[in-house]
């Protein structure tokens, strides 16, 4: 029975699609990228939660499996190790042995910096101090935080300015940046978050535009209210100290289905950005490994074209 190429790819499934090597299909390695590529550890969260991979093994895997030499850690995967110098020294050794550098640590579970209650917000700020110091110790430039809070947009914004300002002041003493990702709620509104940045007005406090995180409210497992990802990215780029190249699904040509990467990378480039784009694959059709490879190939394909 004859099977068309399109049907074959569909039947073979996501793994075969990625294994067909997107790079061989369309990457042009001779053209230099205007940004660096890092790997966000969250791309491997399924393997990490399943104990098939550890945070300590992450740097070596990033380099040997994916050819990526810049990593972005997630604090959830070494939650109790922020002040454990023995652990951190071992992690540094893994970085050095594999020629890997650390870019940032994504911080979750330490409280929202936009909480309205002063005591709650200040506790959240202080909870981040140890991660600022851990980031500095590991050679990172940045920590990614959350500007969550309960209240009106105006109330949360006022509180976030205070929380980010206090944490930014502490971090500035160590040369660490504090950046906010559009990560749900008010923060996924580009106008809101850029407004907060303007009020904070500190050189070491900025944003981490995530191409796929513009859902403001969720309902019944879906997104009930979303913000335009292209407009939001444009609004956040003046304050960006990194971008998160989020992907979920790909078509048979290796293009991201949810996000037009040509359009969004042009927005990034037009802002004057020449920093680091972190791969953050969250799809379910491809395996984590294949999704990471597909995202890397997409960046390598589109980057030189915009």
């Amino acid at each position: 029975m004859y099977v068309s190429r399109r049907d074959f790819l569909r039947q073979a499934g996501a793994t075969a699609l990625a294994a067909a090597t997107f790079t061989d299909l369309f990457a042009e390695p001779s053209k230099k990228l205007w940004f660096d590529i890092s790997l966000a550890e969250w791309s491997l969260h399924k393997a990490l939660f399943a104990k098939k991979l550890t945070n300590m093994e992450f740097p070596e895997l990033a380099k040997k499996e994916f050819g990526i030499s810049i990593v972005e850690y997630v604090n959830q995967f070494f939650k109790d190790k922020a002040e454990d110098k023995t652990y951190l020294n071992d992690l540094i050794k893994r970085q050095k042995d594999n020629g890997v550098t650390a870019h940032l640590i994504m911080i979750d579970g330490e409280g929202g910096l936009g909480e309205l209650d002063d005591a709650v917000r200040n506790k959240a700020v202080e909870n981040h101090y140890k991660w600022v110091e851990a980031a500095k110790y590991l050679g990172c430039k940045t920590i990614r935080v959350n500007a969550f809070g309960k209240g009106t947009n105006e109330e949360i914004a006022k509180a976030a300015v205070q929380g980010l300002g206090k944490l930014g002041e502490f971090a500035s003493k160590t040369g660490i940046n504090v950046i906010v990702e559009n990560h749900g709620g008010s923060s996924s509104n580009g106008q809101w978050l850029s407004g907060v940045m303007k009020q904070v007005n500190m050189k070491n406090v900025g944003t981490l535009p995530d191409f796929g995180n513009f859902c403001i409210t969720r309902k019944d497992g879906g997104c009930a209210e979303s913000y335009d990802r292209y407009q939001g990215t444009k609004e956040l780029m003046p304050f960006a100290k990194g971008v998160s190249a989020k992907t979920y699904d790909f078509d048979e040509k290796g293009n991201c289905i949810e996000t037009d990467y040509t359009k969004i990378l042009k927005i990034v480039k037009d802002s004057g950005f020449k920093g680091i784009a972190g791969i953050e694959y969250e799809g379910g059709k491809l395996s984590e490994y294949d999704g990471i490879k597909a995202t890397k190939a997409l960046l390598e394909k589109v980057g030189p074209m915009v």
Side-chain angles (χ1 to χ4, degrees):
M1 179 180 68
Y2 173 74
V3 179
S4 69
R5 179 176 181 275
R6 181 183 294 272
D7 289 340
F8 171 77
L9 287 172
R10 286 176 177 170
Q11 293 170 14
T15 300
L17 180 58
T21 65
F22 287 90
T23 302
D24 290 342
L25 288 171
F26 47 63
E28 297 182 43
S30 61
K31 293 185 178 181
K32 187 176 181 180
L33 290 173
W34 43 272
F35 55 86
D36 292 318
I37 295 176
S38 63
L39 179 59
E41 191 172 20
W42 189 254
S43 297
L44 295 157
H45 68 274
K46 294 176 184 176
L48 285 153
F49 282 129
K51 308 299 183 183
K52 296 178 180 179
L53 175 69
T54 67
N55 183 70
M56 189 66 72
E57 296 168 326
F58 175 52
E60 181 177 2
L61 181 70
K63 187 62 173 287
K64 292 185 176 179
E65 181 70 27
F66 307 110
I68 298 174
S69 57
I70 306 172
V71 296
E72 301 181 7
Y73 293 110
V74 175
N75 76 323
Q76 294 183 58
F77 302 119
F78 60 124
K79 186 81 173 182
D80 59 341
K81 305 296 184 182
E83 299 172 296
D84 186 337
K85 292 297 176 62
T86 299
Y87 181 90
L88 297 180
N89 284 334
D90 287 345
L91 193 54
I92 290 170
K93 185 176 187 303
R94 295 291 185 104
Q95 293 175 181
K96 290 181 178 179
D97 288 349
N98 291 283
V100 168
T101 58
H103 170 43
L104 62 82
I105 306 176
M106 296 187 177
I107 313 301
D108 296 302
E110 297 291 5
L113 299 179
E115 293 288 356
L116 305 192
D117 184 280
D118 290 347
V120 174
R121 184 180 62 255
N122 288 332
K123 181 68 168 76
V125 170
E126 292 168 5
N127 287 346
H128 284 77
Y129 288 171
K130 61 182 178 293
W131 290 110
V132 169
E133 293 168 344
K136 179 68 174 181
Y137 198 80
L138 289 171
C140 298
K141 301 294 185 183
T142 303
I143 63 167
R144 189 277 278 147
V145 302
N146 294 299
F148 295 151
K150 294 179 181 178
T152 66
N153 284 342
E154 293 75 17
E155 290 170 335
I156 300 170
K158 183 178 179 180
V161 170
Q162 295 178 20
L164 289 167
K166 184 175 180 180
L167 181 57
E169 184 177 353
F170 176 86
S172 68
K173 299 173 185 177
T174 62
I176 293 294
N177 297 313
V178 175
I179 60 176
V180 181
E181 179 184 352
N182 45 306
H183 207 199
S186 302
S187 71
S188 285
N189 181 314
Q191 186 176 21
W192 182 90
L193 185 51
S194 62
V196 168
M197 290 298 117
K198 290 173 185 176
Q199 292 182 70
V200 174
N201 193 29
M202 295 178 68
K203 289 184 178 180
N204 71 316
V205 177
T207 61
L208 179 68
D210 184 304
F211 300 162
N213 273 4
F214 285 99
C215 181
I216 296 173
T217 57
R218 295 186 178 276
K219 184 178 181 180
D220 300 327
C223 186
E225 179 188 4
S226 63
Y227 197 83
D228 183 270
R229 69 187 65 203
Y230 307 104
Q231 179 64 25
T233 299
K234 186 175 181 179
E235 290 167 338
L236 297 179
M237 283 311 302
F239 313 97
K241 297 183 183 300
V243 296
S244 184
K246 176 68 63 61
T247 55
Y248 292 94
D249 294 323
F250 300 84
D251 63 21
E252 67 264 23
K253 293 183 179 180
N255 293 311
C256 180
I257 292 173
E258 301 80 22
T259 303
D260 182 338
Y261 261 68
T262 299
K263 183 176 181 178
I264 208 156
L265 285 181
K266 187 176 188 306
I267 292 171
V268 173
K269 187 177 184 181
D270 287 350
S271 75
F273 180 84
K274 294 182 180 179
I276 297 173
I279 292 173
E280 191 169 37
Y281 172 69
E282 283 193 8
K285 293 183 179 179
L286 294 178
S287 69
E288 290 184 320
Y289 281 34
D290 289 341
I292 291 167
K293 292 174 182 177
T295 308
K296 183 171 183 276
L298 179 61
L299 290 170
E300 291 172 338
K301 169 197 172 184
V302 177
M305 295 168 56
V306 299

